[in-house]
Amino acid sequence: QVTLIESGGGLVQAGGSLRLSCTASLDSATLYAMGWFRQAPGKEREFVGAATWEGNTYYADSLKGRFTVSRDNAKTTVFLQMNSLKPEDTAVYYCATAFKFASLRVGAADYWGQGTQVTVSP
């Protein structure tokens, strides 16, 4: 069983930056792909970005250029650097892991974090 602990959420003004972190409780093959989803009020959860064990990164088209996903050397922590934040980025951000990136990409993750709130004020 893998537990994912997220941190770094909060309130920021539009144009600002935030960095989210997600650390897994243990090293596991299920950590091959680690990434982020978000869910805004009244909307479905959507893919934000992910990084694989080899360092390949993938992003939602609408977020390319503003958001960056990275992992630490131990591969148990994934980061989400968010720049030029907009009010529409306001959502609960969830960390997720999967043995296969294809599974993670469609939301069929093996494990999910509890979510961290990001609020962007105008």
Side-chain angles (χ1 to χ4, degrees), residues 24-92:
S25 58
L26 55 85
D27 191 2
S28 165
T30 192
L31 303 185
Y32 173 76
M34 296 186 75
W36 297 90
F37 288 74
R38 68 183 185 182
Q39 187 167 21
K43 295 187 177 181
E44 294 187 353
R45 186 161 52 190
E46 64 175 348
F47 174 76
V48 173
T52 66
W53 190 270
E54 296 94 344
N56 298 318
T57 54
Y58 304 87
Y59 299 95
D61 288 341
S62 62
L63 300 176
K64 288 180 181 178
R66 293 196 299 124
F67 288 17
T68 302
V69 178
S70 61
R71 296 178 68 163
D72 69 333
N73 289 336
K75 309 296 184 184
T76 56
T77 298
V78 63
F79 304 98
L80 178 64
Q81 178 67 43
M82 304 183 290
N83 298 327
S84 302
L85 284 163
K86 306 174 182 179
E88 51 263 44
D89 293 319
T90 295
V92 177

Side-chain angles (χ1 to χ4, degrees), residues 89-113:
D89 293 319
T90 295
V92 177
Y93 284 71
Y94 296 91
C95 174
T97 71
F99 181 68
K100 296 181 180 180
F101 170 72
S103 300
L104 182 68
R105 178 62 183 86
V106 298
D110 297 319
Y111 297 100
W112 292 90

